[in-house]
Amino acid sequence: MHEMEKKRNRLLAPKVIDALAGRNIEAFYAEDKEEALKVALDIIDEGSIVSCGGTMSAREIGLIDSIKNGRYVFLDRDGAKTPEEKLKIEKETCSNCDYFICSANGMSENGVIVNVDGNANRVAAICHGPRHVLMIVGMNKIVHSEEDAYNRAKYIAAPINAQRFNLNTPCAKFGKCADCTHEQCICCQILVTRCSMHKDRIKVILVNEDLGF
């Protein structure tokens, strides 16, 4: 990220944090990955039951490795040996998890968060179940409007993630959305988080770096 982009982000971030606060979402700012990791570990109490989706952003700041190697109970969906075990972990995440770690596909400057899912385990956990949701969000995902956040999620993040997961969808093949209903479609569920009914259940760490997709 260019230094001028970082300068702009430093001015924008407080406004986004204020907007999120007005939506009952607690937000923090970190200048880089190292600071973001420290903030995240300060938030998550040792001994907590922690799970995550397929978030690249949390992995890029080192949070998932820190949780795996720390004093936490980690529900490791990616470590499941069978589809049945994976499903069991996803259900336990929604019923018995202290912190669910994820990111956002797009976020507007006024604090609306958009996520697009195929299997929907991530959007389900954001909506209900885990006691806390912790989102690691690079400032590259902040866009002007809710419509821009939706467009970023569907037309930028989704094709890249479809390729990341080696799917056989049109967007994975051609690099652009075909508005498909393919059996492996990664855009089955679209979640728009306008606000949190439960104050500060959702927490966001804005990071002044390019993170995730």
Side-chain angles (χ1 to χ4, degrees):
M1 184 182 291
H2 193 279
E3 183 56 37
M4 294 308 298
E5 291 179 84
K6 291 193 172 188
K7 181 178 180 180
R8 172 258 191 185
N9 290 341
R10 293 183 193 111
L11 298 173
L12 176 60
K15 297 177 175 59
V16 179
I17 289 172
D18 286 345
L20 288 166
R23 299 176 183 276
N24 271 352
I25 297 172
E26 187 176 17
F28 308 82
Y29 174 79
E31 182 62 25
D32 53 32
K33 295 175 185 176
E34 291 75 20
E35 185 180 354
L37 177 59
K38 183 180 184 304
V39 173
L41 294 176
D42 284 344
I43 291 171
I44 304 172
D45 299 321
E46 288 191 346
S48 295
I49 301 172
V50 183
S51 188
C52 68
T55 170
M56 286 295 297
S57 300
R59 286 172 170 80
E60 287 173 6
I61 70 167
L63 180 55
I64 303 305
D65 284 341
S66 293
I67 295 296
K68 284 183 177 179
N69 298 319
R71 297 178 179 178
Y72 309 90
V73 179
F74 184 54
L75 305 179
D76 188 3
R77 184 189 66 153
D78 293 337
K81 296 180 175 59
T82 65
E84 292 77 18
E85 183 183 358
K86 182 177 180 182
L87 180 60
K88 181 181 178 181
I89 292 171
E90 290 174 350
K91 288 183 176 180
E92 188 175 359
T93 291
C94 280
S95 65
N96 190 34
C97 184
D98 294 312
Y99 286 90
F100 180 74
I101 300 170
C102 62
S103 187
N105 294 135
M107 182 185 296
S108 65
E109 292 174 2
N110 68 346
V112 176
I113 304 167
V114 178
N115 281 289
V116 174
D117 261 13
N119 191 46
N121 60 291
R122 176 179 59 139
V123 298
I126 293 171
C127 287
H128 181 75
R131 294 170 184 84
H132 302 280
V133 174
L134 178 59
M135 294 186 176
I136 312 299
V137 181
M139 289 296 294
N140 56 303
K141 295 185 177 180
I142 308 300
V143 293
H144 176 64
S145 67
E146 180 179 335
E147 182 179 4
D148 293 332
Y150 169 81
N151 288 337
R152 189 189 187 284
K154 187 167 172 62
Y155 302 119
I156 297 176
I160 295 172
N161 280 314
Q163 291 175 333
R164 175 163 70 107
F165 293 126
N166 296 313
L167 302 182
N168 195 34
T169 58
C171 67
K173 291 180 180 179
F174 305 114
K176 61 175 292 185
C177 178
D179 198 27
C180 77
T181 54
H182 190 277
E183 62 181 6
Q184 291 184 318
C185 177
I186 205 169
C187 299
C188 295
Q189 306 287 339
I190 299 168
L191 174 65
V192 178
T193 303
R194 292 185 58 255
C195 57
S196 176
M197 179 174 285
H198 306 286
K199 184 174 172 57
D200 298 341
R201 173 182 175 264
I202 300 175
K203 303 178 189 297
V204 174
I205 302 176
L206 297 176
V207 189
N208 200 4
E209 300 230 21
D210 287 333
L211 296 177
F213 307 120

